[in-house]
């Protein structure tokens, strides 16, 4: 009798182990890099410069394996594309390097509520801008 109870007990334990082995296991969740995706999107607004009249500006920020951005400024009736590189995000601040009218410039902007406010410094020229997400 004791032997049959022991066999039944072992059988129950083995059946439970088999059921556990067949149940779906939790898969490891990919680590989130914590990057604020609130920067991602299309931004529009205006810029001011100390070397001429200001005007409209647009910027597109994306994030896949790396941060990327493009920007255009309108001066008069001419749209000037900006070659942007080295985009980085730290908290509520985004920074990058850009080529603007033949000059290498450093830029950064911070989120202030719903506005992206920033400056671009090209050494002897600078500009400020305020953009809102479309």
């Amino acid at each position: 009798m004791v032997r049959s109870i022991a066999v039944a007990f072992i059988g129950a334990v083995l059946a439970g182990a088999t059921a556990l082995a067949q149940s779906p296991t939790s898969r490891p969740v990919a680590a989130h890099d914590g990057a604020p995706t609130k920067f991602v999107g299309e931004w529009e607004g205006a810029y001011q410069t100390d070397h001429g009249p200001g005007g409209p500006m647009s910027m597109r920020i994306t994030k896949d394996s790396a941060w990327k951005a493009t920007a255009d400024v309108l001066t008069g009736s001419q749209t000037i594309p900006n070659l942007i590189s080295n985009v980085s995000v730290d908290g509520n601040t985004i920074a990058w390097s850009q080529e603007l009218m033949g000059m290498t410039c450093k830029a950064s902007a911070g989120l202030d509520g719903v506005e992206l406010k920033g400056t671009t410094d090209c050494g002897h020229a600078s500009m400020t801008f305020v953009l809102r997400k479309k």
Side-chain angles (χ1 to χ4, degrees), residues 33-106:
D33 65 4
T37 56
K38 55 191 161 198
F39 286 108
V40 172
E42 306 252 350
W43 299 80
E44 290 183 334
Y47 72 94
Q48 299 293 323
T49 179
D50 57 0
H51 268 73
M57 178 178 172
S58 64
M59 186 169 195
R60 180 181 177 158
I61 302 170
T62 60
K63 170 79 164 82
D64 48 30
S65 61
W67 287 98
K68 296 178 185 171
T70 60
D72 293 316
V73 295
L74 187 66
T75 179
S77 62
Q78 183 180 9
T79 300
I80 301 171
N82 292 240
L83 300 175
I84 294 178
S85 60
N86 303 319
V87 180
S88 64
V89 171
D90 184 13
N92 280 340
T93 303
I94 185 168
W96 63 90
S97 300
Q98 71 188 83
E99 295 294 318
L100 181 61
M101 297 177 12
M103 297 178 281
T104 300
C105 309
K106 296 288 184 190

